[in-house]
Amino acid sequence: MEIVPGGEVLLSNFEVLQILKESQSYSGGKHGKDPLATIRYETLEYFKRSPCNVQNEECIKNLVHALKPYKLTNKEFLSILNARPTAPADLAPLLNESEDHMTDENMADIVQLISEILPAPK
């Protein structure tokens, strides 16, 4: 894990899941004296039921490429990646002032791309 000095760093749920899995292997998976063991366990259990559990680097890269024409901010993209909206009504709240730069057709297209590129959670 790399520590980046200063500034804001945004992580997707997929990235957090990978970090937690790595840290679990470093601690040997034991709950012994690790004060973060319970937090790590509960977070891993939550992520097992979320879209990030079935995502991989390739599908994320494909989604980045597919959504590039829509000029989303990093925060908007991460919100979409983490939530995996399945309808335009689910997508709209994830976009900052979506009515200003997104048409209903754009939002429907984005939802279609998400469903084609990101695997559905199990």
Side-chain angles (χ1 to χ4, degrees):
M1 177 171 32
E2 180 181 338
I3 298 176
V4 180
E8 182 180 82
V9 177
L10 303 173
L11 296 174
S12 69
N13 288 353
F14 173 77
E15 292 168 309
V16 173
L17 177 61
Q18 299 310 308
I19 291 168
L20 287 173
K21 285 180 178 178
E22 286 176 24
S23 71
Q24 186 178 33
S25 66
Y26 289 134
S27 68
K30 298 178 183 174
H31 291 285
K33 296 181 182 179
D34 183 0
L36 299 176
T38 301
I39 294 169
R40 184 181 304 113
Y41 173 79
E42 293 295 331
T43 305
L44 284 167
E45 288 302 305
Y46 169 78
F47 282 146
K48 284 180 184 178
R49 299 181 305 273
S50 75
C52 72
N53 194 43
V54 293
Q55 293 172 353
N56 58 55
E57 289 182 29
E58 183 180 345
C59 71
I60 293 170
K61 286 178 185 177
N62 291 340
L63 188 64
V64 167
H65 179 70
L67 296 182
K68 193 167 264 187
Y70 298 99
K71 298 179 179 158
L72 301 169
T73 66
N74 288 341
K75 288 180 182 181
E76 289 171 329
F77 179 79
L78 281 178
S79 295
I80 289 169
L81 181 62
N82 291 339
R84 195 189 180 278
T86 56
D90 298 330
L91 175 64
L94 305 177
L95 304 175
N96 297 328
E97 302 177 18
S98 60
E99 63 276 355
D100 292 342
H101 69 282
M102 289 285 169
T103 66
D104 290 343
E105 185 178 314
N106 288 150
M107 292 203 296
D109 291 344
I110 290 173
V111 169
Q112 180 65 33
L113 288 169
I114 292 167
S115 68
E116 291 173 3
I117 297 171
L118 292 181
K122 295 176 182 179

